[in-house]
Amino acid sequence: MSIGLNTRHIAHRFLKEHVQPGAFCIDATAGRGRDTLLLCQLAGEKGKVLAFDIQLEAVASTRKLLEENSMSNWAYVFLESHTNIDLYAEPKTADAIVFNFGWLPGGDHTLHTETKTSLDAIQKGLKLLKPGGIMSLCLYYGKETGFAETDAILKYLETVDNQEYTVVVSSFANRPNCPPIAVCILRDDIKSGEENSI
């Protein structure tokens, strides 16, 4: 049976609606490079994309995909933890930041993101977003990773300042086997002193 909508589709639709040519984007967990490639396509030659992963296999896959699609000129791929993204960007400069939590697709499932560093990376990423900037999180869980990381992230998101950020969590209610969860975050662009209106 073919399923037309999945977590990655939700994330990519969100990115396509908000990322404009010339954007500065960060793929904090590059994996196989699919999100990095999309960000490069959306930001275009006048944009800039940084991608990070701690696995050599992921870095190599991402660089290869970008080279095959002639996107390497405005993308920089680092063998680096997502928890260090704040060393590569200034606060309030990023238009979009993407995270995929879990394991490398097609890779070793015993190697996966960890709760402490993931929460740290999200917190740092929120500070890097410019007003009007967005963050996409895809939460993959179950199997070797268990539920601790996803539960901790969802609990943390409830504490994010609702005067500065809008957080939307999308989950599939009728799919079995721990379907991934999509989270979309917008850093609200509200001018000082301006009140919310309906």
Side-chain angles (χ1 to χ4, degrees):
M1 182 178 73
S2 175
I3 299 176
L5 182 64
N6 61 33
T7 304
R8 186 166 60 89
H9 292 150
I10 294 172
H12 282 198
R13 285 184 183 181
F14 183 53
L15 294 170
K16 289 175 182 177
E17 288 173 358
H18 291 87
V19 179
Q20 302 296 320
F24 170 42
C25 305
I26 298 173
D27 185 352
T29 49
R32 297 296 178 188
R34 295 184 185 93
D35 290 337
T36 309
L37 177 62
L38 175 64
L39 292 174
C40 287
Q41 292 169 335
L42 296 174
E45 295 184 19
K46 294 184 179 180
K48 180 180 179 182
V49 178
L50 306 183
F52 303 90
D53 209 289
I54 61 170
Q55 294 190 57
L56 278 170
E57 182 182 355
V59 169
S61 293
T62 299
R63 286 176 176 164
K64 183 173 183 291
L65 184 64
L66 295 175
E67 288 170 5
E68 290 173 347
N69 288 273
S70 302
M71 299 284 178
S72 299
N73 288 342
W74 57 97
Y76 304 85
V77 185
F78 301 95
L79 182 66
E80 177 71 276
S81 171
H82 56 359
T83 194
N84 291 325
I85 59 174
D86 60 325
L87 302 179
Y88 295 80
E90 297 294 325
K92 296 186 178 182
T93 59
D95 293 284
I97 302 176
V98 177
F99 288 95
N100 283 284
F101 297 105
W103 51 87
L104 179 66
D108 183 356
H109 283 204
T110 64
L111 299 174
H112 52 78
T113 52
E114 301 288 344
T115 302
K116 185 179 184 304
T117 53
S118 294
L119 287 173
D120 189 38
I122 293 171
Q123 292 170 11
K124 290 178 177 180
L126 290 174
K127 294 177 182 178
L128 296 183
L129 288 179
K130 63 172 57 172
I134 62 167
M135 180 183 290
S136 167
L137 316 177
C138 289
L139 309 178
Y140 296 88
Y141 59 101
K143 300 184 180 181
E144 289 84 353
T145 63
F147 299 87
E149 181 183 49
T150 292
D151 290 345
I153 290 173
L154 292 175
K155 185 175 181 180
Y156 166 71
L157 293 176
E158 294 177 357
T159 71
V160 173
D161 184 359
N162 63 8
Q163 296 298 310
E164 192 169 3
Y165 302 91
T166 298
V167 181
V168 178
V169 177
S170 301
S171 59
F172 292 96
N174 64 339
R175 290 187 187 168
N177 303 323
C178 305
I181 296 169
V183 179
C184 300
I185 301 174
L186 171 68
R187 186 165 196 170
D188 295 317
D189 188 7
I190 300 174
K191 296 178 181 177
S192 178
E194 181 179 331
E195 296 183 358
N196 290 324
S197 60
I198 298 176

